[in-house]
Amino acid sequence: MRYNISLAEYYNIPIELFNKYGILNPCLKENTKMFIDPVLLKDSQYEIFSKEAYRKYLDFFENLYEQMRIYVSLPEDLKIKSKNTMIRKFQAKGIPYLCLGFSVSGNLDKGIGINGASRILNNAERLFGLDIDNNPAIFSVVYLLTEKVGPDYISDMTAQIIIEQIKQFTQEMSPKLGLEVFKFGKHMLPRHPFMDCPILLLPEDILNLLPIDVDINDVYKGYSPNDDVRDKVNEYIGSIFKSSNDKKRKSSVQKQLFDYFNNNIDVLNDFMQYAKKRKSYSYDFDVDKCGYYFEQRFSKAFDLNDIDVSNLNQLEIIDKTIMGFKDKIDNNNDIKRNLLWVNNKPRGEKSWQQAFHLAIFQKLEDSGFDISPEYQTGSGPIDFTISKGCKHRFLIEIKLSSNNPLKGLEIQLEKYKQCIGNKKAYFICFNLEKDDQKYHKIIHDLFQKKEDLNLNTDIVIIDGRINPSASNIKRH
């Protein structure tokens, strides 16, 4: 079994059922890097989110707003006694059985603890001390400008607020997907196969790549200041945002913005009005530009079952499997068009590597081989190693023709081979060049370098273009 497997795959549920109901098919061992965007709640196709969950979310922040108003007006001695209570209100525990977020494994999502909640409270207290409009959207500004508060936080906070609606939704939709349910508290929920807890379902239409509230650049792109503050925003805030691309300066940018809002209440109030009314759009899972469903869709559409590797030695099995993969990619425009290209552009190198791994995995595993992606060599990670016992290890490095393949062959792969004392390797280059002259130069340079350095490396050229030309340079 592959390390990363989806809920549909594990329970053998047709992916079409998840598509029919618009439900996320989560990965079970690696979190899906998606987030609940609270702005999307009100537009969900499911009333339990568009009405119940959205109202609960608004009520929470309206109540929190009033509580903060009271808190900042307390005498200092009472404020000290109340501080821990307020800090707890800003804590957001990760909910591992949602399978969302940045952490590699669902059970490692710890959320925001006391230190992070304290920073949020301190910033909230400063802004609430100003003469601001009555607007709970102030918390969007607080989250945006608090250091080390990332997209996980707003998602975890939202999930924490609407957890009952999520559980009710899961209880209702599980039978429609054919999932067996068990008693967890007052709900009947499916069991997570790898954790001692339930697994919860989410509609795709409340999910986004990144909650816009906590991403500086994305927030500013949608902000159109009113006439009264436009000059201030363009002159000062605009220059701050332009310099925010450097991640190392993000905390500095947050501080500059916070200080500016603190000293310009009219701009702060205008920005809060925008935050309250802003629009957001759920991630398009059909186009799936970032490839969250890539593994699931590719595994269903592509297999090498028709390749016969019986009565072959180990090297021949690997060789025939790789060349079988090459042949199918070379000659299958549908797979390339539907899975490996998006909006007439090729996916990133990681997706092509995933395609290779998914295609060869089962065939080679059935033949007794171990396939390890991202194998550490001491000089960096090689894309794949294929091994059988201690004596047989094959290295594979994959490059797109647009990603300096000559360097990958001459420098990276040779260093990897030296580090682990390995002689046998494959260098796979996916040709994505529209210009045939450029393509032929890349191929010529690769094979010339192999000859000049007397490399014991098989170079495999795979045509990744949707409309390949008649030319097709074979492996040498």
Side-chain angles (χ1 to χ4, degrees):
M1 180 187 296
R2 298 196 321 271
Y3 170 77
N4 202 11
I5 186 170
S6 73
L7 180 65
E9 287 177 294
Y10 187 88
Y11 286 113
N12 198 26
I13 301 170
I15 188 65
E16 289 78 11
L17 277 180
F18 285 85
N19 296 336
K20 176 182 177 181
Y21 296 110
I23 295 174
L24 177 71
N25 177 25
C27 291
L28 296 175
K29 289 196 171 184
E30 254 186 32
N31 279 343
T32 302
K33 294 178 177 59
M34 302 295 295
F35 304 90
I36 300 174
D37 187 338
V39 176
L40 296 172
L41 292 174
K42 65 181 181 296
D43 296 318
S44 175
Q45 65 175 307
Y46 293 101
E47 287 193 2
I48 194 168
F49 291 104
S50 64
K51 290 190 164 91
E52 291 182 39
Y54 183 58
R55 185 67 257 170
K56 192 172 182 182
Y57 177 83
L58 292 180
D59 288 346
F60 176 88
F61 282 104
E62 287 169 1
N63 291 334
L64 185 59
Y65 182 89
E66 294 305 319
Q67 291 166 5
M68 276 298 305
R69 278 290 196 194
I70 295 171
Y71 175 76
V72 296
S73 65
L74 290 174
E76 199 59 34
D77 57 335
L78 291 179
K79 189 182 290 185
I80 291 173
K81 293 179 180 179
S82 303
K83 187 170 186 177
N84 286 338
T85 300
M86 290 304 299
I87 287 174
R88 284 194 293 273
K89 294 182 182 297
F90 287 104
Q91 284 183 262
K93 296 180 180 179
I95 302 175
Y97 33 96
L98 282 175
C99 303
L100 297 178
F102 276 134
S103 64
V104 175
S105 176
N107 57 8
L108 296 178
D109 188 3
K110 297 180 180 178
I112 286 283
I114 293 176
N115 292 336
S118 297
R119 289 194 299 272
I120 295 171
L121 176 61
N122 291 339
N123 281 349
E125 186 175 353
R126 286 180 61 188
L127 293 185
F128 270 82
L130 305 174
D131 184 22
I132 57 175
D133 293 341
N134 186 352
N135 191 343
I138 184 65
F139 292 109
S140 292
V141 182
V142 173
Y143 298 151
L144 170 67
L145 302 180
T146 299
E147 185 181 358
K148 295 183 180 180
V149 172
D152 269 344
Y153 174 79
I154 191 69
S155 185
D156 288 341
M157 175 67 89
T158 304
Q160 194 169 273
I161 295 168
I162 66 169
I163 189 65
E164 284 303 308
Q165 283 71 33
I166 294 174
K167 289 180 178 179
Q168 290 174 36
F169 177 75
T170 304
Q171 180 173 270
E172 179 183 343
M173 301 308 297
S174 292
K176 296 180 180 181
L177 296 175
L179 283 167
E180 185 179 3
V181 293
F182 303 87
K183 185 77 171 175
F184 287 95
K186 64 180 183 180
H187 295 97
M188 298 298 293
L189 305 171
R191 189 185 303 278
H192 196 299
F194 305 125
M195 298 166 61
D196 186 22
C197 64
I199 188 166
L200 299 181
L201 303 174
L202 291 168
E204 293 175 339
D205 61 12
I206 69 170
L207 300 176
N208 210 337
L209 288 177
L210 194 71
I212 203 167
D213 292 44
V214 291
D215 185 86
I216 292 176
N217 287 318
D218 282 347
V219 169
Y220 183 61
K221 285 176 185 175
Y223 176 40
S224 297
N226 67 35
D227 292 339
D228 295 334
V229 300
R230 184 169 290 120
D231 288 342
K232 286 185 178 183
V233 171
N234 290 339
E235 288 176 14
Y236 191 79
I237 297 184
S239 63
I240 293 176
F241 276 114
K242 287 177 183 177
S243 66
S244 68
N245 289 325
D246 185 350
K247 293 182 180 180
K248 294 180 180 178
R249 298 192 63 239
K250 183 175 180 181
S251 60
S252 172
V253 170
Q254 287 174 311
K255 184 179 185 306
Q256 290 179 66
L257 286 170
F258 191 94
D259 290 342
Y260 184 77
F261 280 134
N262 194 51
N263 294 320
N264 293 271
I265 299 175
D266 53 345
V267 178
L268 174 60
N269 284 327
D270 185 60
F271 192 84
M272 285 193 298
Q273 286 301 318
Y274 154 71
K276 184 177 182 179
K277 298 176 181 177
R278 75 172 179 83
K279 297 287 186 181
S280 188
Y281 301 93
S282 60
Y283 179 74
D284 190 334
F285 283 93
D286 290 330
V287 174
D288 196 17
K289 185 176 180 180
C290 294
Y292 287 106
Y293 282 166
F294 179 81
E295 288 193 18
Q296 301 167 34
R297 288 170 174 158
F298 190 88
S299 296
K300 183 176 180 180
F302 190 105
D303 67 66
L304 296 174
N305 291 333
D306 56 336
I307 296 177
D308 183 9
V309 295
S310 57
N311 302 318
L312 299 180
N313 63 38
Q314 293 177 350
L315 179 57
E316 290 171 338
I317 291 173
I318 294 174
D319 195 74
K320 189 166 185 178
T321 301
I322 291 175
M323 297 309 292
F325 171 77
K326 166 185 163 55
D327 181 65
K328 291 202 173 189
I329 296 295
D330 279 345
N331 300 300
N332 195 320
N333 277 339
D334 286 341
I335 285 178
K336 287 182 277 193
R337 183 182 295 108
N338 296 328
L339 295 170
L340 290 165
W341 287 66
V342 177
N343 296 329
N344 295 317
K345 293 182 180 180
R347 290 191 184 273
E349 194 167 79
K350 183 179 179 182
S351 291
W352 296 81
Q353 292 170 347
Q354 281 182 308
F356 176 79
H357 185 210
L358 293 166
I360 70 167
F361 178 87
Q362 195 62 56
K363 177 64 65 175
L364 293 184
E365 186 182 61
D366 290 345
S367 297
F369 290 94
D370 292 320
I371 300 95
S372 302
E374 298 284 317
Y375 183 85
Q376 293 295 329
T377 65
S379 183
I382 184 76
D383 289 334
F384 298 98
T385 62
I386 300 174
S387 59
K388 194 171 188 179
C390 299
K391 295 182 179 180
H392 304 281
R393 179 178 292 151
F394 306 87
L395 303 187
I396 297 177
E397 183 72 4
I398 295 176
K399 288 290 181 185
L400 302 184
S401 59
S402 57
N403 194 20
N404 200 347
L406 195 62
K407 177 183 176 182
L409 173 69
E410 178 184 5
I411 299 176
Q412 292 173 288
L413 183 54
E414 288 308 300
K415 281 188 176 180
Y416 300 152
K417 287 164 67 177
Q418 293 169 12
C419 284
I420 63 175
N422 187 281
K423 300 298 183 184
K424 182 62 180 177
Y426 290 86
F427 183 81
I428 297 174
C429 178
F430 287 98
N431 168 38
L432 303 175
E433 304 299 328
K434 294 180 180 178
D435 185 338
D436 275 349
Q437 276 192 322
K438 185 176 180 181
Y439 165 56
H440 286 297
K441 184 180 187 311
I442 291 171
I443 303 311
H444 173 271
D445 291 346
L446 284 172
F447 286 113
Q448 188 64 53
K449 186 61 65 176
K450 174 182 176 178
E451 183 179 338
D452 292 345
L453 299 180
N454 193 27
L455 303 179
N456 183 23
T457 295
D458 279 7
I459 298 175
V460 181
I461 309 302
I462 301 177
D463 203 328
R465 297 171 297 180
I466 292 176
N467 295 304
S469 66
S471 61
N472 189 11
I473 298 181
K474 297 294 183 181
R475 186 184 56 138
H476 287 215

